[in-house]
Amino acid sequence: MTRPILYSFRRCPYAMRARLALDYAGIELELREVVLKNKPDYLRLISPKATVPVLQLSEHWLLDQSLDIMLWALSRHDPQRWWPPQPQEQVQALARIQYNDGRFKHWLDRYKYADRFPEYSAHHYRQQGEQWLRQLEQLLSRGPWLGGQRPDLSDMALMPFVRQFAHVDPDWFAQAPYPCLRRWLERLKASAAFARIMAKYPPYQPGAAAIVWPIKAITT
């Protein structure tokens, strides 16, 4: 392998946050866009869970958890210190990610796909998810980023999921009592980095020319 291979899906929030960290760290890699509705055999061969993201670093070494990919990228290059220098800050950042990936993701899935969970209404699921939005709003009322005055790992890890929650009902989110959270989200969405990691690429086909990321994006 001449460079790492990233198996990704443009709209998957886990893959988004992995790409944010890889872009930030300046990691050159081969990107293989996966169509999740038709998971390819080659992905199942290297990772039994067959979900994205998967970062293949060598023939015998791969990372198939998005947070592991982010931490690996930061271990290579972290110019703005996304990984906080103080142990207490590290614990706090990881705690935010853990809650996001657990409790909040549980309610996000039910809110976004309420028709699959008819036990309660979408409104009920949204109210449950708002418990986390209120905590984030409180944090962001103290500073522009979740950890204070500069971005850290948790900002990038949470952003794709908050974005997904906001997009379920944009009109509601636009007037919801979370002005600090809206500013935070819009700031990240408007960044050049987010534009780069959301560029469109054709699905990977074995034998096709390699896509060296983030070059050769489809711009139309």
Side-chain angles (χ1 to χ4, degrees):
M1 292 175 58
T2 59
R3 57 179 64 88
I5 298 172
L6 177 67
Y7 294 87
S8 182
F9 175 60
R10 179 175 176 268
R11 291 186 287 109
C12 170
Y14 294 103
M16 283 183 199
R17 70 186 188 186
R19 295 196 306 271
L20 279 168
L22 292 163
D23 174 83
Y24 162 74
I27 306 296
E28 182 181 281
L29 52 83
E30 178 184 342
L31 181 110
R32 296 184 178 181
E33 181 75 5
V34 173
V35 179
L36 294 180
K37 292 181 180 179
N38 185 23
K39 294 179 181 178
D41 291 338
Y42 58 77
L43 182 59
R44 298 180 188 277
L45 285 173
I46 66 168
S47 176
K49 74 184 186 75
T51 59
V52 295
V54 172
L55 183 66
Q56 187 174 6
L57 297 167
S58 70
E59 184 178 352
H60 303 292
W61 183 22
L62 62 81
L63 302 173
D64 61 4
Q65 298 295 328
S66 60
L67 183 56
D68 290 341
I69 294 172
M70 297 183 82
L71 290 169
W72 176 84
L74 299 192
S75 75
R76 299 293 298 273
H77 189 49
D78 186 6
Q80 298 176 24
R81 300 173 80 177
W82 281 10
W83 182 235
Q86 300 300 322
Q88 182 178 1
E89 294 175 330
Q90 296 170 6
V91 169
Q92 291 170 345
L94 291 175
R96 289 190 287 270
I97 296 170
Q98 182 180 29
Y99 188 95
N100 176 85
D101 293 5
R103 191 68 174 169
F104 179 64
K105 183 64 165 57
H106 172 87
W107 295 119
L108 168 59
D109 288 344
R110 282 152 181 76
Y111 176 40
K112 184 177 181 181
Y113 304 108
D115 57 328
R116 303 179 190 176
F117 301 94
E119 296 84 357
Y120 297 99
S121 66
H123 178 72
H124 171 81
Y125 294 132
R126 186 175 73 199
Q127 286 183 316
Q128 303 309 308
E130 281 189 85
Q131 296 178 40
W132 185 226
L133 300 193
R134 285 192 289 271
Q135 293 183 53
L136 297 179
E137 179 70 16
Q138 184 177 20
L139 287 173
L140 292 166
S141 69
R142 304 170 187 167
W145 302 102
L146 295 176
Q149 295 305 311
R150 66 183 182 194
D152 69 22
L153 178 70
S154 67
D155 291 283
M156 308 308 157
L158 270 61
M159 178 270 196
F161 298 89
V162 176
R163 172 182 177 271
Q164 197 173 73
F165 195 95
H167 285 191
V168 175
D169 187 344
D171 292 338
W172 167 81
F173 188 74
Q175 55 76 44
Y178 310 114
C180 298
L181 185 61
R182 277 195 298 274
R183 284 194 296 271
W184 171 86
L185 180 60
E186 289 305 315
R187 181 178 185 177
L188 287 167
K189 286 169 57 178
S191 69
F194 189 67
R196 286 193 299 270
I197 70 107
M198 291 304 289
K200 294 181 180 179
Y201 299 87
Y204 170 71
Q205 296 292 336
I211 295 175
V212 180
W213 187 76
I215 307 169
K216 299 181 180 178
I218 298 174
T219 57
T220 57

